[in-house]
Amino acid sequence: MNDFLPFIVIGLATGAVYGLAGIGLVLTYKTSGIFNFGYGAVATLVAFCFYFLNVDHGWPWPLAAAVSLLVFAPSLGLVLELLARSLGGAGETIKVVATVGLILAVSSVGLLWHPINPPTFPHFLPQDTVRLVGVNVTWEEIILFLLSAVAAAGLYWFFRSVRFGIVMRGVVDNHELVSMSGDDPVLIRRWAWVIGSVFAGVAGLLLAPSHDLDGVTLTTIVFAAFGAAAIGYFSNLPLTFAGGLVVGIASSLVDKYSATVTWIGGLPPALPFVILFVALIVLPRRLLAQRRLTAVLSTRRSYRAPVRIRLTTFAIAIVLLGLVPTIQSGHIAVWSSALINIMLFLSLGLLVRRSGQISLCHLAFAAVGAAAFGHFSASMPWLPALVLATLVAIPVGALISIPAVRVSGVFLALATLGLGILAEQVFYTRDFMFSQSALGIEAPRPVFSLGGLDLSSDKGFYYLLLVITVLVAGVITAIGHGRLGRLLEALADSPLALETHGTTSSVLKVIVFCLTAAIASLAGALNAMLFHFGVGTYYPSFSSLTLVALVVIVTIGDPWYALVAAVGYSVLPAYITGQNTSTVLNLLFGLGAATAAWGTRGGVTPARLQTLLNRLGGRSAPETPDAPGAPDIPVTADAARQQSSPRREAPAGDGLTVRGLSVRFGGVHAVNGVTLRARPGAVTGLIGPNGAGKTTTFNACSGLLRPSSGEVLLHGTDVTGEGPASRARHGLGRTFQRTELFNSLTVRQNVALGREASLAGANPLTHLVGSRRANRVIARVVDESLALTGTTRIADLQVGLLPIGQRRLVELARALAGPFDMLLLDEPSSGLDGHETEQFGQVLRTVVRERGCGVLLVEHDMTLVREICDYLYVLDFGQPIFEGTPVQMENSDRVRSAYLGGVAVPVDAQDAPSTDRSAPLQPRR
């Protein structure tokens, strides 16, 4: 035990600081919904400020610390709060990249300040030792622990006992209720960011001594707070502080053995991320889910130039790149590197831009390819070795996709960041990768001539790279225009809608990670061939952050973003000579990423340029959502009957049956004992006051929520344990109370995915391509659904730019295009006026009559309910209070009391049918 005590004591001191940093991180995440990846950057900036005042200008350390923590850190918090507010309507990818940009910017500031030899941060706390429990402990370590523990305890007391702290906790759950109580949510969040920044600054000052002041080292050290936050499941402050102690002690003990036990060599810096990764795999998914089922995101107006313009531009680019060895022979290695980076950016863009997933370990895939090629080329020709090096990354991509299947957004970014650091620190120096040799592993170029061109020469290898780059760009373009590309775009816009239309999103995520890993691995192998050796230092995990930032901030379309990003990443530093060129560019990339949210506020291509490109490309002017003639209502019922054709007979099953369904959130029953049946060929209504549990019942029926008890049967088959995609493939479709559409796609593409998503299903092969017969079926049902809902005239408009009424019709059209015989429609008339609602009801009756499908309808428009519903169920406070026909509902005093308005009467005086199954309710006030 005596051997372990010194390391435990050291671990307690640093772990307490990790816990303190983790508390500040969790605080800002809980109050704003923004996980600050740049938290270590904030700590680093405060350390910079302290060093500048204390060392460079000779201020006493207490004064320098006071200014740094009480003035500079709060100022940073106010700036970050403004940044967080700007990200309110942004997607998860933008939120992650914006805070990653802080890391890039701060690391660049450190390099510009001390470009050659960064100084070591001095100790400013006493270094005298005292003996405790048989161990010599410095006063610095004692102060570290006590200060961190007192600060954490004080914050915990503040949240539990002080009104402002209690309100700060409340703003996380419902900022609208906080506003109603007279408190300003913006002010509360601002104070949370200030407190979080001060805690980050304290952690930075306490952890900085004895480390290089280079902007990267301290940022990486504070990453340990991520592991502490994971142990506290990103919510619980006491557990987060305890998690910091665990991380600190574990890191100290691992550090003790890393010098003698070879298999843990390099593990200490990556240990917090190992803990983080395990936590993300082990924690229940409900603790890692977004706070609400649907998110309100700003829609960016998309634009694609005409085909003629794109083909011409592509041809010009190929010609110019082909002339590089002639006109830029002195920089041929630079342009060769740019071609490799184009492949790297294309692979990352497939993941980030098209599918909406995020990876902060992309260079780890490239490192796998480089190492694999080096080993394979030692025993086989270059081409088979290159192919195998590409394929070997596929299982690695599948491994990395494991967290993507469970989590998304910030949690996926955390997992991949940790895996990238783990790969660099632990695996790069192993014999199965680059070994510990500074030279790395040999990666020979092809010894082959083609038409007198030696492919092993710089010129010959450049042309080989150009051919491979064009092929990769062609593959990426083909994916974008095929079924896989459409599914990936839908996944980025609304994975929820994609699942409820039949596509198993976990399969889709595994596919895209495997594809992107294979292409990145190919790029890594070619990079090793370019320099004749594969070396681990060519693939630093930190540079993966720069790659992601560039993919996001270069907002032009495929594949041009990859070309522009590659030029900025590898060509400009070679032409703009200067000691700090790369650092300044990295600073600009970081600032661009930090302000990425402002780049999503509207169209990227100016209107005049669009007009010019359209004219040159022979494209007519596109319609706009509010253009004259764009319909706002469905076609008439007579026209609908003429344009629709039966797709299936009325199913022989029993439709949707729910028995004793209960859904509990904590100790609250949102739904309690609901039993209902929605028959084929009929419209069944599910009505009740707001908060009655109607949408919760829908979510449980469609597989988005797992019921606490009860069962859901579809045509007699128990589907209670199946997910939404499986239920959709069994014939259950739905719409949402808040429309879930693929906002970046057109109306026609949205409706087509109503059928194509179910055809993709769960089979990886059907995700990749579709048959001609399937395409004909999709085209037919799309035309039918567009005509039936009156949306044909707006079929080529972008859905995200449509008004709410038209969006409702598009969502209905998409559901009608699917192979569903049971539809769950959640307030489908919301946003329609009276005439539109009447037309909608006629269309719905037509669909039920001619297609034989059943409908379960949640609706507040009682006129529509009376006209189209054959049978009704009424909920109140999650419990069923009535079932019967619309006429019986009108005569029920209990329903009038709870929902329709009226005065409650004693139960024995009520004239409701015997199907009323609960005690009378008091009138809703």
Side-chain angles (χ1 to χ4, degrees), residues 109 147 197 239 255 314 334 363 448 451 514 531 533 554 594 750 797 807 810 865 879:
V109 168
L147 180 61
S197 297
L239 271 181
D255 193 43
F314 185 75
V334 172
L363 280 179
F448 183 74
C514 290
F531 297 106
F533 284 90
V554 180
N750 267 266
L797 299 182
R807 289 172 60 84
V810 173
V865 168
Q879 296 188 2

Side-chain angles (χ1 to χ4, degrees), residues 755-790:
R755 174 55 65 93
E756 192 164 28
S758 62
L759 293 174
N763 188 335
L765 295 180
T766 55
H767 281 70
L768 298 175
V769 293
S771 65
R772 291 184 178 179
R773 180 177 177 275
N775 292 337
R776 288 194 296 269
V777 171
I778 292 170
R780 176 175 59 82
V781 299
V782 166
D783 289 340
E784 291 177 3
S785 300
L786 290 174
L788 188 60
T789 54

Side-chain angles (χ1 to χ4, degrees), residues 373 382 386 443-446 461 464 524-534 539:
F373 178 80
W382 71 273
L386 186 62
R445 293 182 184 178
F461 190 67
L464 176 63
L526 293 171
N527 189 69
M529 296 168 67
L530 174 64
F531 297 106
H532 303 282
F533 284 90
Y539 313 98

